[in-house]
Amino acid sequence: KPRNRLINETDITSFIKMLIYGSYTNKDAFGIFSNTYNYKKDKALHELKPRALKKLINAISNKQHKFLIGHNRLAVGSDSKNKNNHPFITDNFVLVLNGIISYDDDLKKKYKLNYNGEVDSLAIIHLLEHFYSKTNDVVKAIKKTCKELNGTYSGMLYDKNTQNIYYF
């Protein structure tokens, strides 16, 4: 979409339809975030009752969004713990990630990352925060983080300070 246009009702409807469709195979949880909205849920979007779905759509529609990013989760850790569901939020960033990272516990120890949770994606956002605190440069933090990761992944990172979105 053009940068100067806010997301409209048609965009929101299309976005929700895509998330619902994806929630049949990635059924353990969903999350939505934008520049003005963060939402985590510990069940599949297609399992929401019509009233709850309408409430969610109304909540999204009542905000002015520059972008919307959604994530359907197929659980690796416990899906009963909402802290394991995307998006992951820290002081500076919001992250959604698909993939699997190996040795995330080793990264947590090596860099003394302080977080509770069972999923590998948490190591990534905290590693990004760690490198960002050293460089004050998001791109450098992403590059340094990616050099440390062992696995297959793709992620979208929202920088809350600049409101930029990075795909890596």
Side-chain angles (χ1 to χ4, degrees), residues 3 17 27-28 31 34 48 51 58 64-65 70 89 98 106 130 134 151 154-155 162:
R3 287 186 139 213
K17 284 180 182 178
K27 60 185 175 13
D28 294 312
S34 77
L48 286 183
R51 187 174 183 183
N58 286 340
Q64 292 190 337
H65 308 285
I89 303 167
N98 283 325
D106 294 340
H130 170 79
K134 307 283 186 217
S154 65
T162 64

Side-chain angles (χ1 to χ4, degrees), residues 7 47 51 54-56 79 87 118 125 129 131 156:
I7 292 176
E47 293 177 352
R51 187 174 183 183
K54 185 174 181 161
K55 185 177 177 181
L56 173 66
D79 61 341
E118 302 168 347
I125 194 164
E129 281 283 357
F131 288 128
M156 296 210 55

Side-chain angles (χ1 to χ4, degrees), residues 11-26:
D11 298 330
I12 292 170
T13 301
S14 296
F15 172 77
I16 293 295
K17 284 180 182 178
M18 285 188 301
L19 269 180
I20 289 171
Y21 181 74
S23 74
Y24 285 96
T25 53
N26 296 323

